[in-house]
Amino acid sequence: MLIDLSIRDVVLIERLDLSFDDGLAVLTGETGAGKSILLDSLGLALGARAEARLVRHGSNQAVVTAAFSLPENHLANRVLQEQGLDIDETLVLRRILKPDGRSRAYANDQPISIGLLRQLGECLIEIQGQFDQQGLMDSTTHIDVLDSYASLYQDRQTCADLFRRWKETETALKQAQLAAEKAREDEDYLRHSVDELEKFAPQPGEEDTLSAERTMLQNAEKLIEAINEAHQHLDGRSGADALLRKAQKALERIADKATGQVDAAIEALERAAVEIQEGLSGLSSAMLDIRPDESLLNATEERLFALRDLARKHNAHPDQLADVLVQLQKNLMLIDDSAAELTRLTEEATAAKQAYIEAADALTAKRHDAAGRLDKAVNSELPPLKLEKATFITVQEELPEDGWTANGKDRVQFQVSTNPGTPAGPLSKIASGGELSRFLLALKVSLAETGSVPTLVFDEVDSGVGGATAAAVGERLDRLSESVQILVITHSPQVAARGQSHWRVAKSLNGEAMVTAVSRLDEAQRREELARMLSGAEVTNEARAAADRLLADRQFEGTDA
């Protein structure tokens, strides 16, 4: 529930801090005092559209903070967890609005998007009168409301699982059908390509090997000439090896007289001689491997060029041709095995669809039964709310197959008829102002035990009614507040007297600026406010006596309960 609301520099509100209890809280005040500013401010904290006009004149920003106390498993906490955000015992939403219309949002002091703020707000507070498309005003939510009323969560979950299974099997079948069809269209090409690649037997890395071999064969004569020249320089009487041996022998003759001074040089020359011998051995080996061979060169070039042609043909790198062959072989197997596979997938999809249909039909039947009970409950609430000629109807329509969803085969919409003999219409279209609010109040009372939003706000739900009807509105708000927190802006003393807490909104001149203030009333102040609401500008003793009776009636009912 909403526990704190802090407002800074919003229109006429300079600084305001409110703390709320559970139950029914009423806000009263003269017309134009600024009650709508409170709703605008609360809307900001819940993700409503930000308007620059809301920033108080002369201020550099407007700030609204709303704090909520929620059970650990509340939907808002699950939303935060899905976004990887921290969860505290108290959820604090903050919105900062600049004079240029830009705004920033925070949840528990963590920056969030305005979209996420709106998502959180929708599961925390429902405001009737300001957000016409929120909650019960949005017909797309009516199926959820009906299912919640009928406690169909498990049935819906089963239906959703079967729907997902059905769609998965259908997708697998369609993919297999497309693959088999394409494979059949390309069967001749596939068989030729597989035969060609199997005969060619390409190997990973073969292109590099063939390219290197071709380069060597193309330059074989030059390589042999260079090897012979190198061999002459190293071997023979005037070669490096002979000269090196002569130098080594010259040093060895005087080694015993050099007291070790030339030993290192002798050892180095010995190692050099060994290296030269290894070099000569390598040259000899190379001479054996490198032989001009025109036929071998032609064969190497032929395979290299054929390999590259195959790669271009299959739009692949030469090293990928082996993988291409595997895939083409699989496609051929699909052609050969497609009949059996398609039969199996068709049977799976058919069985999955039938299982979904059975679950959806069962869900439809339970919804139909629940719709009748809900209609009866709501219609019993209408006469005391001066809507005795109206009728509430839950319209349940079975959709065509292309409209089936994880929620089943139904479309649900709450409709009302305001007068006997007139056709029913959508809940959001049949009335406005207080009449519409009373329809929603009747529906909310009937759904009191099933709603997930912990706080409801009604803006002038008593508009256009008085006397016994206003008292009935107050009684139902009081009853509804046993299940959820209720905030109601009212001009009706009968409704205001029902509140567990009472706030007065007033506008006054502070220096040269007009400001709106909100104060919580004690019993004496509350008596005077009710008397003002009963009598107008001049509070009379008769009005005070009537206010006492309203308060006494409320206390008596509470004791009797």
Side-chain angles (χ1 to χ4, degrees):
M1 70 173 191
L2 177 67
I3 53 177
D4 293 303
L5 179 64
S6 174
I7 305 172
R8 299 289 185 271
D9 296 316
V10 177
V11 193
L12 300 181
I13 298 177
E14 181 178 7
R15 183 183 183 90
L16 186 61
D17 295 296
L18 306 177
S19 295
F20 296 96
D21 303 318
D22 57 3
L24 176 61
V26 298
L27 294 94
T28 62
E30 296 180 355
T31 300
K35 298 185 292 296
S36 63
I37 301 175
L38 288 175
L39 292 186
D40 287 338
S41 300
L42 184 56
L44 271 180
L46 300 175
R49 181 186 176 195
E51 299 183 29
R53 65 172 182 82
L54 295 177
V55 180
R56 187 167 173 264
H57 180 68
S59 301
N60 61 2
Q61 65 181 21
V63 183
V64 183
T65 304
F68 299 85
S69 175
L70 302 172
E72 185 176 351
N73 63 345
H74 190 270
L75 176 59
N77 285 334
R78 295 204 296 272
V79 171
L80 290 174
Q81 283 182 323
E82 291 172 358
Q83 298 296 322
L85 298 173
D86 295 336
I87 296 176
D88 296 328
E89 293 182 0
T90 301
L91 172 57
V92 179
L93 302 181
R94 178 175 292 109
R95 184 87 170 272
I96 299 175
L97 174 62
K98 294 293 185 178
D100 60 4
R102 293 181 301 170
S103 69
R104 300 192 306 275
Y106 301 86
N108 291 340
D109 291 325
Q110 301 165 96
I112 61 173
S113 68
I114 302 302
L116 178 56
L117 179 67
R118 188 178 302 114
Q119 184 181 356
L120 291 169
E122 288 174 353
C123 58
L124 292 170
I125 292 183
E126 184 174 314
I127 302 180
Q128 193 286 312
Q130 184 183 30
F131 303 120
D132 288 342
Q133 298 304 316
Q134 185 176 347
L136 292 173
M137 298 302 294
D138 182 359
S139 62
T140 62
T141 68
H142 294 177
I143 192 170
D144 300 325
V145 173
L146 180 62
D147 289 349
S148 178
Y149 175 76
S151 300
L152 296 178
Y153 172 80
Q154 190 57 54
D155 299 80
R156 271 183 59 152
Q157 186 61 50
T158 299
C159 189
D161 292 342
L162 292 173
F163 179 81
R164 185 166 50 253
R165 173 59 182 162
W166 169 34
K167 291 304 177 181
E168 287 173 351
T169 57
E170 273 200 340
T171 299
L173 175 59
K174 288 177 181 178
Q175 290 176 343
Q177 288 172 334
L178 289 174
E181 183 179 348
K182 188 176 186 307
R184 282 191 295 271
E185 292 174 354
D186 300 335
E187 183 173 0
D188 291 341
Y189 166 78
L190 284 172
R191 294 197 183 280
H192 171 74
S193 296
V194 168
D195 182 63
E196 183 179 43
L197 285 171
E198 285 179 341
K199 289 179 178 177
F200 194 89
Q203 301 297 319
E206 186 176 3
E207 183 190 28
D208 291 339
T209 301
L210 291 172
S211 181
E213 186 175 351
R214 174 174 177 254
T215 300
M216 183 186 70
L217 290 170
Q218 286 177 326
N219 297 278
E221 293 183 356
K222 293 180 180 179
L223 291 172
I224 291 172
E225 182 179 342
I227 291 171
N228 285 331
E229 183 178 352
H231 196 281
Q232 291 174 4
H233 288 307
L234 292 176
D235 203 7
R237 293 184 178 181
S238 59
D241 183 57
L243 295 174
L244 191 62
R245 293 299 182 185
K246 289 180 179 180
Q248 184 180 0
K249 289 180 179 179
L251 292 176
E252 287 175 347
R253 285 197 296 270
I254 54 96
D256 57 341
K257 301 178 179 62
T259 62
Q261 295 298 317
V262 295
D263 290 350
I266 293 172
E267 292 177 1
L269 291 172
E270 180 63 30
R271 290 194 301 273
V274 172
E275 293 291 338
I276 287 175
Q277 290 301 316
E278 291 183 359
L280 288 169
S281 176
L283 290 175
S284 298
S285 178
M287 285 290 289
L288 294 175
D289 294 335
I290 301 174
R291 295 180 181 277
D293 190 330
E294 191 68 23
S295 62
L296 181 58
L297 173 60
N298 291 336
T300 301
E301 287 184 336
E302 183 179 350
R303 183 165 180 82
L304 176 62
F305 296 154
L307 179 69
R308 289 172 175 172
D309 286 342
L310 278 174
R312 282 192 295 271
K313 179 179 178 180
H314 294 284
N315 195 27
H317 189 276
D319 286 348
Q320 297 173 328
L321 286 175
D323 295 331
V324 170
L325 173 59
V326 171
Q327 185 58 51
L328 292 176
Q329 289 169 335
K330 287 182 179 179
N331 290 344
L332 272 179
M333 290 176 62
L334 181 62
I335 294 175
D336 298 334
D337 301 338
S338 61
E341 178 67 7
L342 290 176
T343 298
R344 182 186 69 80
L345 290 175
T346 300
E347 291 174 350
E348 282 189 6
T350 301
K353 179 180 180 179
Q354 185 58 36
Y356 165 77
I357 289 174
E358 292 174 3
D361 287 343
L363 195 54
T364 294
K366 290 182 180 180
R367 283 175 177 150
H368 182 75
D369 178 66
R373 290 186 281 113
L374 179 60
D375 291 350
K376 183 177 180 181
V378 174
N379 286 318
S380 69
E381 295 289 336
L382 297 180
L385 296 175
K386 204 177 179 180
L387 295 169
E388 62 278 354
K389 295 181 180 180
T391 304
F392 177 89
I393 306 168
T394 301
V395 177
Q396 183 177 345
E397 173 190 4
E398 184 168 333
L399 297 169
E401 183 173 332
D402 60 1
W404 295 355
T405 70
N407 293 333
K409 302 159 65 175
D410 307 312
R411 177 189 289 121
V412 174
Q413 185 183 54
F414 298 146
Q415 296 187 1
V416 295
S417 171
T418 53
N419 290 291
T422 60
L427 180 66
S428 59
K429 303 295 184 182
I430 48 78
S432 60
E435 188 179 34
L436 181 55
S437 296
R438 280 177 278 139
F439 273 111
L440 292 177
L441 176 59
L443 185 53
K444 278 296 185 182
V445 170
S446 303
L447 299 170
E449 300 299 326
T450 62
S452 61
V453 177
T455 301
L456 302 177
V457 178
F458 287 92
D459 184 10
E460 300 187 9
V461 66
D462 50 4
S463 177
V465 300
T469 303
V473 171
E475 186 275 330
R476 276 147 183 80
L477 287 170
D478 191 9
R479 190 186 342 153
L480 185 56
S481 71
E482 296 174 3
S483 302
V484 294
Q485 182 188 41
I486 302 291
L487 276 65
V488 58
I489 294 175
T490 180
H491 287 289
S492 169
Q494 291 89 344
V495 173
R498 288 279 178 172
Q500 281 86 39
S501 59
H502 190 152
W503 304 81
R504 186 169 190 270
V505 184
K507 186 167 59 176
S508 62
L509 194 62
N510 183 10
E512 296 182 355
M514 190 67 69
V515 296
T516 292
V518 181
S519 56
R520 185 165 185 164
L521 305 182
D522 59 23
E523 286 302 311
Q525 293 169 330
R526 187 177 189 185
R527 176 176 180 258
E528 286 298 301
E529 176 65 5
L530 290 176
R532 179 197 66 77
M533 297 171 71
L534 286 162
S535 63
E538 182 179 351
V539 179
T540 64
N541 288 332
E542 290 81 0
R544 292 188 178 95
D548 287 337
R549 285 194 295 274
L550 287 176
L551 291 171
D553 289 344
R554 170 70 179 86
Q555 293 171 356
F556 175 77
E557 289 184 12
T559 302
D560 184 61

